[in-house]
Amino acid sequence: MTTDAPKPEWREVYASRQLGGFNETSNHEATDYNHVEIDPYETGRQLRSNYRLLISAVVPRPVGFLSTLSRNGLSTNCSPFSYFQMFNHDPPLFIFGFASSLASPRDSLRNLVETGEGVINIVSEHMLEAVNAASINAPYGTSEFSLAGLEPAPCSVVKAPRVKDAIFSIECNLIETKEYASKIDPDKVTCTTAIVEGVRFWAREDAINSKSDHLDLEKLKPISRLGGTTYGRLGHICDMPRPQWQTSDPVGITNTGPS
């Protein structure tokens, strides 16, 4: 359910103090503590500590549930990735981060590179257990569709199947990949990013509006990735229109602009 912003009175307080005024409704307790500086490459610090810290801090992260097809067309694969995000809409662009090199790729990366295509499936509450089951380290050629009890469905542009259980899916073509080396061992590739472009969208008919430009969150119920082995469910949602600069406003801003 959408609610008001946590502090709807903030605008009035800000305006009363003119430009740059202090937000008197802030949580002062949050600024009463000192901060600890962390060098990610401090002597004796394990790299896994950086991983654990970052996945617990940069939250929530969307789950990129990627389904692919092998080059020979004989096996399918679907795996969840939390190093995933959308970063443009024209063209629709998405990025995945794989903890492997192109020389020794994970199954999804191998299929994506060899075929140049895949499908992003948005993870909803009703399919979380199956998605988690699909993260198993099964040998190449094993179909996580079967292991997790997920149903494949045909796509329009790409040969890889989408996950029919997903409320929203995106057919994608691979645009480019880039490898990144370890700061500790420059000869070791620790990450490969893949940028893909969305070429077709699939939305469950009861979850999309008549203009096909908005999904019902009460139907989508998206799942996010948090720290450790923790996932997050959608909680309270607040509606906060984006401020627009107005020269007629004594403070210079107004909250009547589009979100």
Side-chain angles (χ1 to χ4, degrees), residues 7 9-10 13 17 21-35:
K7 297 174 181 175
E9 72 277 15
W10 186 91
V13 172
R17 297 299 295 264
F22 183 74
N23 178 12
E24 294 181 358
T25 63
S26 291
N27 180 3
H28 296 291
E29 183 180 351
T31 60
D32 287 341
Y33 294 93
N34 293 322
H35 287 73

Side-chain angles (χ1 to χ4, degrees), residues 32-250:
D32 287 341
Y33 294 93
N34 293 322
H35 287 73
V36 177
E37 180 182 356
I38 303 170
D39 180 351
Y41 295 105
E42 181 181 4
T43 302
R45 181 176 174 83
Q46 296 183 352
L47 293 179
R48 186 161 185 82
S49 296
N50 293 334
Y51 168 75
R52 290 174 175 172
L53 174 63
L54 291 175
I55 67 170
S56 69
V58 186
V59 292
R61 300 184 307 282
V63 181
F65 195 35
L66 181 63
S67 52
T68 57
L69 183 69
S70 63
R71 180 166 52 187
N72 60 16
L74 298 180
S75 64
T76 56
N77 179 277
C78 55
S79 297
F81 297 91
S82 66
Y83 287 166
F84 160 76
Q85 187 55 270
M86 175 186 78
F87 65 95
N88 196 40
H89 68 280
D90 180 25
L93 294 176
F94 309 82
I95 189 166
F96 283 88
F98 299 91
S100 61
S101 66
L102 292 172
S104 301
R106 298 181 63 172
D107 297 352
S108 295
L109 179 58
R110 174 179 173 177
N111 288 347
L112 184 63
V113 171
E114 290 183 350
T115 66
E117 60 182 36
V119 184
I120 299 168
N121 305 277
I122 301 303
V123 178
S124 299
E125 288 184 18
H126 70 273
M127 54 190 292
L128 177 56
E129 287 78 11
V131 171
N132 188 58
S135 67
I136 189 172
N137 56 338
Y140 182 76
T142 302
S143 174
E144 287 82 3
F145 278 97
S146 299
L147 289 176
L150 294 165
E151 183 177 349
C155 286
S156 175
V157 177
V158 309
K159 295 179 181 179
R162 55 190 171 89
V163 178
K164 189 173 183 180
D165 309 70
I167 291 175
F168 189 69
S169 298
I170 306 162
E171 295 184 39
C172 296
N173 288 330
L174 178 63
I175 300 299
E176 62 180 84
T177 59
K178 181 176 177 59
E179 293 182 318
Y180 293 86
S182 165
K183 291 289 186 178
I184 301 299
D185 182 2
D187 293 328
K188 180 181 179 181
V189 173
T190 57
C191 172
T192 301
T193 58
I195 295 177
V196 299
E197 177 185 350
V199 293
R200 284 295 187 279
F201 307 142
W202 292 84
R204 206 173 71 185
E205 59 183 359
D206 66 315
I208 191 77
N209 66 353
S210 59
K211 294 182 180 180
S212 296
D213 66 0
H214 186 77
L215 285 171
D216 183 350
L217 282 177
E218 294 294 326
K219 298 288 180 63
L220 184 62
K221 294 184 178 180
I223 288 291
S224 64
R225 195 70 167 88
L226 304 176
T229 58
T230 308
Y231 291 87
R233 300 165 67 182
L234 200 62
H236 293 292
I237 306 168
C238 63
D239 186 18
M240 296 184 67
R242 181 179 301 170
Q244 299 291 313
W245 188 266
Q246 300 289 338
T247 56
S248 60
D249 189 316

